[in-house]
Amino acid sequence: MSILSKLFGKKSAPAHASEDYNGFRITPQPIAEGGSYRISAKIEKEIGGELKVHEMIRADTTTSEDEAVASSVRKAKVFIDQMGDKLFG
């Protein structure tokens, strides 16, 4: 484990299936913290030939990794619906 991982508590997460939504790609990346999982996802979209990436990390936590994956995708979709391409700027 790297020194930064030790300092910030972020452990390498298993890969979860990405989902396409309205031209965006959502990859859930829940963060294990003690006995819970923080809601987190990577949101990507190609704009003008350049891949834009936004790391969404929420304060919300769940006790189940599967629930965290589902919640991460659901909250990313709401975020995309609210912000659209502005989430990269």
Side-chain angles (χ1 to χ4, degrees):
M1 184 182 312
S2 76
I3 187 77
L4 292 177
S5 294
K6 288 179 184 176
L7 288 173
F8 296 107
K10 188 171 182 178
K11 297 176 176 60
S12 60
H16 296 284
S18 296
E19 181 176 323
D20 291 330
Y21 179 74
N22 291 345
F24 294 80
R25 177 168 299 268
I26 301 167
T27 306
Q29 298 177 324
I31 302 167
E33 295 180 345
S36 63
Y37 294 88
R38 183 163 308 280
I39 306 301
S40 178
K42 179 168 57 171
I43 302 171
E44 302 171 294
K45 183 176 183 182
E46 189 171 317
I47 299 174
E50 181 181 348
L51 182 63
K52 301 286 186 173
V53 179
H54 178 82
E55 298 287 338
M56 180 193 79
I57 301 174
R58 303 286 306 226
D60 315 53
T61 60
T62 67
T63 56
S64 159
E65 184 175 10
D66 290 339
E67 185 179 332
V69 168
S71 293
S72 295
V73 171
R74 187 173 56 255
K75 290 184 182 264
K77 287 178 179 180
V78 170
F79 192 43
I80 290 166
D81 290 343
Q82 291 175 342
M83 298 295 294
D85 291 347
K86 293 178 188 174
L87 68 93
F88 301 114

